[in-house]
Each structure stands twice: as structure tokens, then as C-alpha cells.
């Protein structure tokens, strides 16, 4: 009995993080929905490779980020019809939901960490000086796809929460 009283006292007084609130979209679904974001970013990055000046190349990549962001907002609102709303309760439940959000963007971030292996392979093939390795650009695409995935899930959850309150 004393352990039950101690447990009740701890759970009432300490802000434990609960992972019970679900993520607005499950990680597998979020990853599937994020593939077009990565595709948009990759397309505009590849277009920037044929730009004649660095300024134009940066402008082309920025256009890709804007196009990916527009896709994220539109698709996130559309997914809000079937997503779980974002939690607006206490801080522990919000933090718990954020922890459930992590796996999908983390997959893209992990891919970005692994991409520099491509630069090492590029050097091993003896192509140094002939072409430049696309590793830096691919790291950027993976990182931005991770950010886009997180935004997609948050927009879907926010749209679901707004839809259910109106």
C-alpha cells in the first residue's frame, strides 16, 4: 500500500511526459507523404546544378524551398481531414505528442547524416576534379525534407484541431 500512495503522490505532483497522445499522422504515413517534398527539393536542386552563376543557383534552390513549403501547407490542410488533432492540453501531453512526431523527420535527418559517404565513394572512383560530388546538396535536400515532414505533420494536426473546434 505505501508504494501505491507514493506512486499517486509522484504522478500528481511531477510533470511526467505522457506518450499517450498520438501523432497527427503515424510515422509510416508521414514518411510516405513526405516523399513528394523530397522530390520537389531534389528537382530544384538538380536544376540549380545547371545554373551559370552561384547567385542564380541559390535563387533556384530557394524557389524549390518555396514550392516545397507550398506543397506542405496545401497537403497538410488536406490531410487534416483524417489526422488526429494536435493536443492543446498541458505541457506534458504536448511534449509527449512531440516525441511521437520525431520518427518521421528523424529518418530524413539520419539520411542526411549518411549522405557524406557518397562524397567518399566519389573520391574513391577517381572523379575528383572531373565533377564535384553532389553530397553537400543531397545533405541539404535530406535536412529540408526532414523539416518539411515535421511541418506537414504539424499542419495536418493543426488543421484537424481547427476543423474539430469549428
Amino acid at each position: 500500500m505505501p508504494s501505491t500512495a507514493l506512486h499517486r503522490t509522484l504522478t500528481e505532483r511531477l510533470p511526467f511526459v505522457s506518450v499517450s497522445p498520438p501523432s497527427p499522422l503515424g510515422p509510416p504515413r508521414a514518411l510516405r507523404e513526405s516523399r513528394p517534398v523530397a522530390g520537389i527539393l531534389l528537382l530544384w536542386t538538380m536544376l540549380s546544378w545547371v545554373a551559370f552563376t552561384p547567385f542564380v543557383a541559390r535563387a533556384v534552390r530557394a524557389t524549390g524551398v518555396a514550392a516545397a513549403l507550398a506543397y506542405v501547407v496545401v497537403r497538410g490542410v488536406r490531410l487534416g481531414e483524417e489526422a488526429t488533432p494536435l493536443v492543446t492540453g498541458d505541457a506534458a501531453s504536448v511534449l509527449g505528442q512531440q516525441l511521437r512526431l520525431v520518427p518521421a523527420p528523424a529518418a530524413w535527418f539520419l539520411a542526411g547524416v549518411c549522405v557524406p559517404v557518397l562524397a567518399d565513394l566519389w573520391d574513391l572512383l577517381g572523379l575528383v576534379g572531373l565533377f564535384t560530388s553532389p553530397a553537400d546538396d543531397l545533405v541539404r535536400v535530406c535536412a529540408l525534407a526532414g523539416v518539411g515532414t515535421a511541418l506537414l505533420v504539424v499542419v495536418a494536426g493543426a488543421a484537424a484541431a481547427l476543423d474539430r473546434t469549428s
Side-chain angles (χ1 to χ4, degrees):
M1 284 302 231
S3 66
T4 306
L6 177 63
H7 179 265
R8 188 169 5 111
T9 302
L10 286 175
T11 56
E12 290 172 356
R13 295 187 183 206
L14 293 176
F16 283 107
V17 175
S18 168
V19 291
S20 59
S23 175
L25 296 175
R29 176 76 187 271
L31 276 175
R32 277 194 312 274
E33 295 291 342
S34 71
R35 288 186 300 203
V37 175
I40 292 167
L41 292 165
L42 183 61
L43 171 71
W44 285 94
T45 297
M46 290 170 53
L47 288 173
S48 76
W49 293 343
V50 297
F52 294 109
T53 63
F55 178 78
V56 173
R58 284 190 301 273
V60 170
R61 287 191 299 267
T63 303
V65 171
L69 182 60
Y71 173 83
V72 163
V73 170
V74 171
R75 185 67 181 147
V77 169
R78 175 76 66 180
L79 289 171
E81 297 170 359
E82 54 195 80
T84 304
L86 284 174
V87 173
T88 57
D90 60 344
S93 62
V94 171
L95 183 58
Q97 189 173 52
Q98 293 302 309
L99 290 173
R100 301 280 306 252
L101 247 164
V102 167
W108 285 111
F109 296 139
L110 181 61
V113 169
C114 295
V115 165
V117 171
L118 178 65
D120 296 337
L121 291 173
W122 198 267
D123 292 341
L124 285 175
L125 291 174
L127 299 175
V128 180
L130 182 59
F131 302 104
T132 58
S133 171
D136 291 339
D137 287 333
L138 294 178
V139 167
R140 182 183 158 281
V141 166
C142 289
L144 288 173
V147 172
T149 302
L151 283 173
L152 181 71
V153 174
V154 168
V155 169
L162 290 173
D163 187 39
R164 289 188 176 83
T165 59
S166 59

